Amino acid sequence: MKSFKSFFTDFLRGSIILKLSYFVMGLYQIVHKQFVRGIIFLVLQIGFWVFMGFVGFGLIGDLITLGEYPFRLAPDLVTSIPGDNSFLMLLYGVLGLAVIFVFLFAYFHIVSLSRQFDKKKENENFVKANFKDDLKSLVNENFHFTMMIVPLIFLTVFLIVPLVFMILVAFTDFSQVMHPEDSEYIANQFFSWAGFRSFGELFALNPRIRQTFFGVLLWTLAWAVLATITNYILGILVAMLINSKGVKGRKLIRILLVISIAIPQFITLMVLRTFLDDHGVFNNILREVGIISENIRFISVEANPWVARATVIIANLWIGIPFTMLIATGILMNIPKELYEAARIDGAGPFRIFFKITMPFVLFITTPYLITQFIGNLNNFNVIFLLTGGNPGNLNYYHAGSTDLLITWLFRLTRDRSDFSIASVIGIMVFTLSAVFSLVFYRRSATYKREGEFA
Amino acid sequence: MIKKRKTSFSKVSLFTFKNIFLYVMCAIWLVPIIWLLLQSFREFPTGNVAEFWPQNWTFQNYILLFTEQSAVMNFGRWFLNTLVIAIITCVMTTLFVLSIAYVLSRYKFKLRKPYMNIALILGMFPGFLTMIALFVMLSNVGLLNGFWHYLALPIVYSSGAGIGFFMAKGFFDTIPNNLDEAARIDGASNARVFFTIILPLSKPIIIFTILTSFLGPWADFMFAGYVIREVDFFTVAVGLYNIIITPASIDQFFTRFAAGSVIVGLPTALLFIFLQRFYVGGVTGGAVKG
């Protein structure tokens, strides 16, 4: 804010050259004999305005209108005229915005260079930097700029721009049914801004979508809580059991347990899915042992929703327990031995030691881990998508199944239905959920920390 | 005397019970994986997916995997594709992660805090929201054609480095600042400090970054599956996932899926087991510092 204010006060106070260089970038540098610098700045500005003139303003205009004509018939009523491509207009509009933001950033930086220069000039010891020094500074004072620039460009173009695009889609009526495999069809889309219409549909207007949203949301929360807690408690118990006295071959046990998370999930979970199939091995084994007489439908389309949900939570232990075990092992080894000694001298029994020392210590260290696990489970796409694909189907739901999480439902809507605007509203909801939870937990764990260090 | 013997007896039985419990647990944990291994040696098309023990054993699945080239199968090619993509991704990601993490750990520039907050926020958006837009962007600039895939995927994978630097930054934070200071007093430039002092001290995190970024493309079936439409340029994850996606194809391809999974899973599992000590240290170390 302060620098923003001085941007204007410096303009009023500064020399006429400085004033002019607010409008002509590089002028200040050229006048003060920093030719290379000045010319680069000037070229940057000219380039920007040329870009804006030829493309930029058009892009922004398209972004505002998203095109005017849908797919329509020509006057002869036979040939068809393809409609405006709102998809590309929106996408390129966002890219154009990114270019404008980058330019504005450069502009403010260059003006502030001139402003600093203007102030320092009055100082006698001030040494003017030439272009060679500029280049040298790229490996010294400005080394951070050199190192950050390429990753930042990548981040902007391939992550931020697509993300902003998708967030903006939530405010359009982009939801035509089409074939997902057909890329031509994606490229021929006409849609327009619709404000908060999709938000309204999700929360209130469309009863079926609303019911699905709240149903899926509830299951997502239940799943996240249950999956996190079961994995956490059982994982830590197993880690402690492995660490306890008298266990032979600790390393081997750890490696054997960890194999289930060492292999990529698309393999392990697809194997588990086939394993638990209606006519799969697991059913066969159970039948031969004599536990069941008829095959259980665990995760198929016709399975009982509650059986499927329970199966998913239990099956998730297969990868969850080793994961927590891995983390907890490191922590358990770091518990100061003196704590145990002291407790033992004070006459504490094993249970007392567990509840008074081990658990608080583990809980203290793993609180952040618990938070990230919870957020991770809210968005646990792989387990649900690969294991059940959201099945069993639910007829009351809008293209969602009984084990679908918000995130897998979102994916279904984009893949099967091309309900892009509703899908991106759900995406925004998923984000809001994650952000709120991590903020709340983070606050609490911060106060937790302030209460004093453990041990 | 009697009492003592009694306790030692119950202790011994407790120890055996613990051991038995843990090894039984390991056995249960390995059942699906052993089954997968057995399936990869099952003769096709005899028997079916539902049996645990193969009726007839064969090595044919592995041979077919590398010899068969059809409209849906070209595993040898997929393997090479993934290898190339993984190597390029690994080089780019490692460079990006290290530079960003180092800058954010050492330089106190104005936008440092805001940038780190933005990175946290961006990380909370579901990743595949970007897939559709990325597909259109990449295909419109022609990067989803033939060998350009080798560039398109690494670009997208490594762009995540801008928000995935937290662990490496946590590591750099632990290297004492006075090492840099000393070198700077001796007249070393910032670039020199980074290359000759910081990097040699950062072997663990460099190895960790290299290996994790190398492993990524082998496991990604989502994004790669969405943007790659040419069978010849599938990665192993996309190819293997696609051949068993429908119930009908499970019966036909499961043995080959199993063989392919063993070929992909074995090296990745070994790398992961090698990595786990970095992983444990990194996750908890980073977490404690917040």
Side-chain angles (χ1 to χ4, degrees), chain A residues 87-88 92 139-140 143 147 157-158 166 244-246 248 279 281 284 318 322-323 326 381 385 420 438, chain B residues 18-19 23 29 35-36 49-50 99 107 111 124 129 132 136-137 140 155 190-191 222 237 241 276 279-280:
Chain A
F87 189 98
L88 288 184
Y92 291 148
V139 294
N140 220 342
F143 187 49
M147 289 181 94
V157 177
F158 297 105
M166 232 23 216
S244 66
K245 249 188 228 159
K248 303 239 163 59
H279 308 285
V281 193
N284 269 1
W318 190 53
F323 202 78
L326 204 61
F381 182 82
F385 181 76
F420 291 114
S438 29
Chain B
K18 270 196 231 167
N19 277 309
Y23 281 101
W29 245 244
W35 177 64
L36 175 74
V49 178
S99 17
Y107 293 81
L111 291 173
M124 275 177 213
L129 271 184
I132 301 159
V136 173
M137 274 164 77
N140 272 3
I155 284 177
N190 279 341
M222 269 298 294
Y241 177 72
Q276 55 168 310
Y279 200 57
V280 171

Side-chain angles (χ1 to χ4, degrees), chain A residues 218-348:
Chain A
L218 206 64
W219 161 241
T220 306
L221 292 174
W223 149 264
V225 170
L226 285 173
T228 311
I229 289 179
T230 49
N231 286 343
Y232 183 73
I233 293 176
L234 294 175
I236 284 180
L237 282 179
V238 169
M240 281 172 46
L241 201 60
I242 296 174
N243 265 14
S244 66
K245 249 188 228 159
V247 174
K248 303 239 163 59
R250 289 197 178 91
K251 267 198 172 158
L252 179 70
I253 294 176
R254 277 190 205 119
I255 288 178
L256 290 180
L257 284 181
V258 150
I259 289 177
S260 68
I261 53 170
I263 299 171
Q265 289 195 333
F266 82 91
I267 296 176
T268 49
L269 293 173
M270 284 310 276
V271 167
L272 208 57
R273 178 193 203 150
T274 322
F275 197 75
L276 294 172
D277 191 72
D278 285 355
H279 308 285
V281 193
F282 192 57
N283 266 319
N284 269 1
I285 294 175
L286 287 185
R287 227 186 21 237
E288 269 166 41
V289 174
I291 298 177
I292 55 167
S293 54
E294 249 174 70
N295 283 358
I296 301 175
R297 294 193 172 114
F298 287 106
I299 48 175
S300 65
V301 185
E302 302 102 32
N304 178 314
W306 293 105
V307 172
R309 285 171 184 157
T311 311
V312 172
I313 288 175
I314 293 168
N316 182 48
L317 293 176
W318 190 53
I319 47 180
I321 288 181
F323 202 78
T324 316
M325 187 271 297
L326 204 61
I327 309 282
T329 304
I331 296 165
L332 290 174
M333 285 173 171
N334 287 336
I335 299 183
K337 291 278 179 299
E338 308 86 65
L339 277 181
Y340 286 121
E341 306 259 316
R344 227 166 272 138
I345 289 168
D346 289 347

